[in-house]
Amino acid sequence: MNIEYIKNKINDVEPKPIDEDFRFSVLVPLVEKDGELNLIYEVRSKTIRQPGEISFPGGKIEDFENPAEAAMRETWEELGIPKQNIEILSELDYATSKSGSFVYSFLGYIKNLDVSDIPYSKDEVDDLFCVPLSYFLNNEPEKYYMNYLPQADKDFPYHMVNDGINYNWGNIRYPVYFINMKIKLYGDLRQK
């Protein structure tokens, strides 16, 4: 083995978190409505995982696609918006969860589409609504914290750790943000 071998091995490696178990991607969709930029939100169907949650379109990244492709595919599957109507403006910050998920996010502009005509999948989405971008610029989110305490599996090899069972793993303090929307949400897109 020599340095050229190493260079060839790492030539096409894309850096990623070493502890990610599941990779997801979401699109943060911007659309013009009534002359103003809005974010499109979906209310998840009651028949799927995390029912009733408010989210952006997104899901698991398949082996054959990159994160941006996954965000556009999921937007097609959930909202029926074809990728030619999505202009990716930027990749945004990543989100990680303490359950081993890593979420890529992309800001996308939805063009050539009337928001009241979005043919969303009733299997995945109960409803859609828009929130003017100006609302978020004028209203700070509330910030609260969840605390995650380390708890090892029964077979954890404490004998391989300095100080063993008494090692100070520390706790994880994780911020959770809430926006108190004082606007009409459900059915917003269906109103002309």
Side-chain angles (χ1 to χ4, degrees):
M1 184 181 318
N2 60 32
I3 194 65
E4 290 306 316
Y5 174 82
I6 300 297
K7 286 180 183 179
N8 287 332
K9 279 293 197 189
I10 64 171
N11 188 38
D12 294 325
V13 171
E14 185 178 319
K16 62 181 184 177
I18 60 173
D19 59 351
E20 78 173 0
D21 294 329
F22 306 102
R23 295 177 348 130
F24 298 93
S25 193
V26 298
L27 184 77
V28 178
L30 276 173
V31 65
E32 283 193 44
K33 182 176 183 249
D34 301 326
E36 186 175 5
L37 284 174
N38 281 252
L39 289 172
I40 301 173
Y41 286 90
E42 56 183 56
V43 180
R44 293 173 60 89
S45 169
K46 291 174 181 57
T47 62
I48 63 174
R49 190 171 57 87
Q50 299 163 322
E53 282 192 0
I54 295 172
S55 66
F56 293 123
K60 189 172 188 275
I61 300 171
E62 302 296 340
D63 291 337
F64 58 86
E65 62 190 355
N66 66 43
E69 292 168 339
M72 289 190 290
R73 175 186 51 77
E74 289 286 344
T75 301
W76 165 250
E77 290 175 4
E78 295 173 22
L79 302 184
I81 299 173
K83 70 179 183 178
Q84 62 265 25
N85 289 63
I86 302 170
E87 178 185 349
I88 299 287
L89 301 176
S90 178
E91 186 169 4
L92 302 173
D93 291 339
Y94 308 111
T96 60
S97 79
K98 303 314 163 216
S99 62
S101 298
F102 190 83
V103 182
Y104 296 83
S105 59
F106 296 87
L107 181 63
Y109 177 64
I110 308 300
K111 52 191 178 181
N112 304 320
L113 184 69
D114 183 336
V115 294
S116 63
D117 294 330
I118 294 175
Y120 65 88
S121 166
K122 303 247 191 257
D123 291 336
E124 297 195 50
V125 178
D126 265 356
D127 207 349
L128 300 176
F129 62 91
C130 284
V131 179
L133 194 55
S134 60
Y135 183 86
F136 298 102
L137 298 174
N138 296 318
N139 294 279
E140 288 287 319
E142 297 175 23
K143 187 177 184 180
Y144 299 91
Y145 289 92
M146 293 288 294
N147 292 297
Y148 294 86
L149 308 174
Q151 182 176 357
D153 290 343
K154 290 179 184 177
D155 63 345
F156 189 81
Y158 281 111
H159 65 281
M160 299 177 77
V161 177
N162 289 339
D163 293 333
I165 199 165
N166 297 317
Y167 183 83
N168 182 7
W169 295 101
N171 298 332
I172 297 170
R173 191 166 188 236
Y174 190 79
V176 179
Y177 298 92
F178 291 87
I179 301 266
N180 187 4
M181 293 189 205
K182 298 176 180 102
I183 58 177
K184 184 177 180 192
L185 299 180
Y186 300 101
D188 180 60
L189 291 183
R190 302 298 167 251
Q191 297 177 4
K192 293 276 186 178

